[in-house]
Amino acid sequence: MIRVGIVGITGYTGEELLRILSQHHKAKLSILAGRETSPERLLADIYPKYANLNIQCEPLNVERIKENTDVVFLALPHAVAFEVVPKLLSAGKKVIDLSADFRLKDSDTYEKWYKVSHTGKDFIKDAVYGLSELYCDKVKSAELVANPGCYPTTILLGIAPAVKNGFITNRDIIIDSKSGVSGAGRKAVEKYFKEEHPNTRAYNIAGKHRHIPEIEQEISNLFGQNTIVTFTPHIIPIERGMLSVIYANLAKKVTTPEIIEVYKNFYKGKYFIKILDEGILPNINKVVNTNFCEIGLSVDSRTNKLVIVSAIDNLVKGASGQAVQNMNIMFGLDETTGLKEIN
């Protein structure tokens, strides 16, 4: 059994990790921790539905974690992992970080967008960007996985086959994304449903969203050249689920069926990617509470653009589910273990 620690148990992603890993037949929950100042209390006091697990939630204690885990999931706010990660790695623990702390390969870029000093620079180089379907081979040998953000997951899974097969140019890519309010955290959800629901609104427009450097870094890697995108996120009146629509200029003449066939071949054997047939578009309701990503495609010959639509559950494939998928890969398990039927 893989001894698992979850640090940051009271947030949305911590709760999702608990939900998934409590059903994972190859994992044993050995440490559940909050922040250093968190009081010790029974899991049932935080989440009554998990009373049967009879596990104590404790303050963050690195020595305790080192002694009792094989892998640690960090579901913490940005910049908190800097102090924890080096200690866990030096003790031979595998770490999957769900924050943005090790996703960006340039520390100056991180500091510009997150407005904090990056004190974990020595570990950036060896951190593997954990987009499971694209970088499985690197994840296999990783000690530190930087789990991707939710918006980047929908976008990169959607655009990667088109880039790799030369269907699109890297000029004037426009991305319109819509997310359930859980992407902003538990407090934001409470505030939204109290003050706004059922409002829909754009936010952090005109290049202000923190996921932009991550999106551009990874799309640039796919193209092999620097790429700038236009990205507009929206909040929609649901708790969870995410849908991205990507508009890209075609580099050559191609039909929708041809592109769909290439996408199906690209993701052949990738259980959690569903490429939809022509005329069928992704539906958030189909992917909520699952680790699946649905992708729909259409060539707009009038404007010479490829339109890509991608949908995931932002808390599962966009965060905790993908993190568990990465754990499975790191420990040589079938990557679907514990993820096919999440209850």
Side-chain angles (χ1 to χ4, degrees):
M1 297 289 279
I2 304 168
R3 297 176 304 159
V4 174
I6 303 174
V7 181
I9 194 66
T10 59
Y12 265 122
T13 53
E15 183 181 3
E16 283 298 299
L17 285 167
L18 177 62
R19 179 169 76 103
I20 296 167
L21 290 166
S22 64
Q23 305 171 63
H24 195 295
H25 68 277
K26 293 289 186 179
K28 177 186 177 183
L29 291 167
S30 56
I31 292 283
L32 300 180
R35 303 285 290 275
E36 290 179 354
T37 55
S38 300
E40 188 168 307
R41 48 184 170 161
L42 282 173
L43 178 62
D45 294 335
I46 304 171
Y47 304 119
K49 63 184 176 182
Y50 294 112
N52 63 307
L53 295 179
N54 194 30
I55 300 176
Q56 200 84 0
C57 294
E58 54 192 85
L60 173 55
N61 182 317
V62 174
E63 294 306 313
R64 281 263 305 144
I65 294 171
K66 283 158 60 173
E67 292 170 5
N68 293 279
T69 63
D70 301 308
V71 61
V72 183
F73 293 89
L74 300 180
L76 294 166
H78 305 309
V80 179
F82 293 147
E83 186 174 343
V84 179
V85 166
K87 295 175 182 177
L88 294 176
L89 293 177
S90 67
K93 306 302 170 184
K94 294 182 185 293
V95 178
I96 301 171
D97 181 28
L98 281 80
S99 79
D101 290 350
F102 297 97
R103 294 175 191 160
L104 300 178
K105 292 302 182 182
D106 183 86
S107 59
D108 291 339
T109 301
Y110 176 93
E111 291 174 353
K112 174 185 174 182
W113 286 84
Y114 288 88
K115 311 300 182 187
V116 294
S117 177
H118 198 303
T119 59
K121 294 181 176 72
D122 292 344
F123 299 90
I124 293 175
K125 178 173 64 71
D126 294 325
V128 171
Y129 189 71
L131 194 58
S132 307
E133 281 76 18
L134 298 189
Y135 305 120
C136 180
D137 289 341
K138 292 182 179 179
V139 172
K140 283 179 183 176
S141 58
E143 299 299 319
L144 171 60
V145 166
N147 214 61
C150 47
Y151 282 125
T153 295
T154 60
I155 294 160
L156 297 169
L157 290 175
I159 204 171
V163 176
K164 286 297 190 180
N165 285 277
F167 286 136
I168 60 175
T169 75
N170 73 330
R171 302 285 296 174
D172 303 322
I173 295 172
I174 297 173
I175 304 162
D176 180 283
S177 295
K178 295 174 173 60
S179 173
V181 290
S182 57
R186 205 178 292 279
K187 289 182 180 178
V189 170
E190 293 171 1
K191 185 173 186 287
Y192 173 86
F193 281 105
K194 182 179 179 181
E195 300 177 8
E196 289 191 60
H197 185 71
N199 191 30
T200 294
R201 57 179 167 82
Y203 68 103
N204 288 345
I205 68 169
K208 295 183 178 66
H209 196 280
R210 285 178 171 178
H211 279 166
I212 287 174
E214 180 183 344
I215 294 165
E216 291 183 342
Q217 169 185 280
E218 295 303 317
I219 290 181
S220 295
N221 288 342
L222 291 170
F223 273 110
Q225 56 183 305
N226 187 53
T227 302
I228 295 173
V229 304
T230 299
F231 172 64
T232 302
H234 303 74
I235 289 293
I236 55 177
I238 58 176
E239 184 174 358
R240 59 199 297 160
M242 176 172 284
L243 186 141
S244 290
V245 183
I246 305 160
Y247 305 89
N249 293 319
L250 286 166
K252 56 188 177 183
K253 283 192 174 293
V254 66
T255 66
T256 298
E258 288 171 341
I259 286 186
I260 289 173
E261 187 63 26
V262 167
Y263 267 66
K264 287 183 176 181
N265 287 331
F266 188 92
Y267 286 122
K268 188 175 183 179
K270 303 298 183 183
Y271 181 83
F272 292 115
I273 307 295
K274 292 184 174 181
I275 307 301
L276 306 181
D277 291 333
E278 186 175 7
I280 303 174
L281 294 176
N283 188 325
I284 286 177
N285 286 341
K286 295 281 184 66
V287 296
V288 164
N289 289 311
T290 79
N291 197 53
F292 287 102
C293 173
E294 285 193 350
I295 299 172
L297 301 142
S298 184
V299 169
D300 184 346
S301 56
R302 188 180 65 87
T303 60
N304 196 43
K305 291 187 185 296
L306 173 62
V307 182
I308 306 163
V309 185
S310 175
I312 63 170
D313 184 314
N314 57 296
L315 295 177
V316 187
K317 186 59 174 169
S320 303
Q322 183 153 239
V324 173
Q325 188 176 353
N326 282 322
M327 181 197 78
N328 290 338
I329 295 167
M330 294 165 83
F331 283 87
L333 303 176
D334 186 305
E335 64 184 303
T336 68
T337 306
L339 291 167
K340 283 186 176 180
E341 297 177 2
I342 306 171
N343 298 316

